[in-house]
Amino acid sequence: MKTFVVISDSHGRRKNVEKVAPLFAENDYVVHLGDGSTDLRDFFREYPDKMIVMRGNCDFSYGMDEYVIEEEGVRILCCHGHKYGVKSGIGRLAAHAKERDCTVALYGHTHRAAAEEIDGVLCVNPGSLGSYTDPSYCYLVVHQGKPTATIVKLQ
């Protein structure tokens, strides 16, 4: 079993990132999907083997554009989502994930938490950790080749 804390769109709201930070030690991966990627720099030093950080449309110097994680035979595409027009729908994202042989696509950008399956791809947006929304993150578990995503509201 592999566990992931997935966050996105923190936009400099480090206070909210710090609320989630105690989970970093007990999970296998911490994924930031962009727009506030530098909010994890201090944690990257502490957990360099766990951190996967994407660059969003508001990030200019830190993070990757796209990354694929494979665990227990499940391929997971990580990206911010803006390059796939996710504010207008997630069909292009799901199609790209399938092209990369991924059955999970993690994305941000919309600031709206969602988990839905499109054409065999579980598309998950953890929502935003920014303070101007109802902050949320995603707890993703891959167990025996099956991904399960749970959206968690930040308290």
Side-chain angles (χ1 to χ4, degrees):
M1 179 169 77
K2 294 293 180 182
T3 58
F4 302 72
V5 173
V6 184
I7 61 178
S8 190
D9 296 278
S10 52
H11 291 283
R13 273 60 170 207
R14 289 213 18 116
K15 187 179 221 178
N16 286 345
V17 173
E18 289 168 4
K19 288 180 182 178
V20 178
L23 301 173
F24 296 172
E26 62 193 50
N27 284 276
D28 297 302
Y29 292 95
V30 177
V31 180
H32 192 298
L33 298 170
D35 282 2
S37 63
T38 57
D39 297 339
L40 286 187
R41 275 197 174 155
D42 293 338
F43 300 107
F44 194 92
R45 288 183 197 91
E46 192 172 350
Y47 305 107
D49 297 332
K50 295 181 177 200
M51 294 286 162
I52 298 171
V53 181
M54 300 296 103
R55 181 175 37 241
N57 60 299
C58 295
D59 297 316
F60 301 106
S61 63
Y62 189 65
M64 300 176 281
D65 288 330
E66 196 170 283
Y67 189 76
V68 174
I69 305 165
E70 185 165 354
E71 287 294 345
E72 295 190 19
V74 176
R75 288 177 52 87
I76 302 167
L77 173 70
C78 305
C79 66
H80 185 60
H82 62 295
K83 293 182 179 181
Y84 302 103
V86 295
K87 285 188 176 180
S88 299
I90 56 174
R92 284 179 47 208
L93 173 68
H96 178 69
K98 284 190 82 146
E99 288 172 4
R100 303 275 319 258
D101 293 322
C102 295
T103 55
V104 178
L106 304 177
Y107 70 101
H109 191 56
T110 69
H111 296 199
R112 290 187 307 269
E116 64 181 292
E117 190 168 318
I118 304 287
D119 197 22
V121 177
L122 175 61
C123 298
V124 180
N125 186 325
S128 170
L129 275 184
S131 60
Y132 47 84
T133 63
D134 291 328
S136 61
Y137 64 94
C138 175
Y139 179 64
L140 177 69
V141 177
V142 176
H143 182 62
Q144 296 180 345
K146 182 179 189 281
T148 303
T150 303
I151 304 296
V152 182
K153 296 287 184 188
L154 190 62
Q155 300 297 326

